Amino acid sequence: MRTEPGSSPAPERARGDIGTIVLCVLFVALGGWMIAGSMAMSPLGAVFPRVIAGIMIASALGILALRALGRAGPVPVVEAGSTPRRLMLCVVLVAWAVLMPRLGFFATSIAGFLAVLAIAEYDAWTAKRTAAYVAAALALVGGFWLLFVEVLLVPVPRGVLF
């Protein structure tokens, strides 16, 4: 998001942002509910919900702390978007979900990641930019695959490709 030149966060706006405060409190409560619900799970099955709940609680508390200190972000300027890009994004996300059981987590995530980048990128793809995007896709998707499969022990779809 862009901000108007010379704009600065207003402390009264930061403290008066009730919607953000309410959502943060709800996310902290939801995280607590998730942790309480995971107590009935096996230690192995409880890993993923507890990690996600912990991240959610920590993030919400961090936002609340920033609001309490009056350090809200700059005032955003609403920009008009591109409807065709939004529709393409929806198509890519649906295709990603539909193809994942058939092609596998890794392959569809790489393709989906690059497709979303192609939709979001307004500038031309040079050879250097393309190489950087492919390297970033491989690193990020590979990192998430390792996190899910090896650390959180989440069974990811294994399709015909990977």
Side-chain angles (χ1 to χ4, degrees):
M1 293 187 139
R2 291 183 321 132
T3 58
E4 290 294 330
S7 68
S8 63
E12 60 273 9
R13 181 177 178 268
R15 285 189 214 103
D17 192 357
I18 300 301
T20 300
I21 294 168
V22 168
L23 283 175
C24 286
V25 169
L26 288 174
F27 278 119
V28 169
L30 177 62
W33 179 70
M34 288 171 59
I35 291 172
S38 71
M39 296 300 179
M41 297 178 171
S42 68
L44 186 59
V47 171
F48 186 73
R50 287 181 186 167
V51 168
I52 297 303
I55 291 169
M56 188 168 50
I57 290 169
S59 299
L61 290 175
I63 292 170
L64 285 173
L66 287 174
R67 297 291 183 194
L69 294 172
R71 295 189 179 180
V75 179
V77 173
V78 178
E79 296 180 13
S82 169
T83 300
R85 285 177 186 260
R86 290 180 183 138
L87 293 174
M88 287 189 299
L89 178 63
C90 291
V91 168
V92 166
L93 293 179
V94 168
W96 194 340
V98 169
L99 293 174
M100 189 175 292
R102 292 167 185 80
L103 301 179
F105 176 84
F106 192 80
T108 53
S109 295
I110 293 290
F113 188 99
L114 292 172
V116 168
L117 278 175
I119 292 167
E121 182 64 54
Y122 282 92
D123 297 327
W125 281 42
T126 62
K128 184 178 178 180
R129 179 175 287 155
T130 301
Y133 285 165
V134 170
L138 289 170
L140 287 168
V141 172
F144 275 109
W145 183 85
L146 285 172
L147 174 68
F148 284 137
V149 171
E150 300 297 329
V151 178
L152 299 175
L153 304 174
V154 174
V156 297
R158 296 190 187 273
V160 293
L161 297 177
F162 294 105

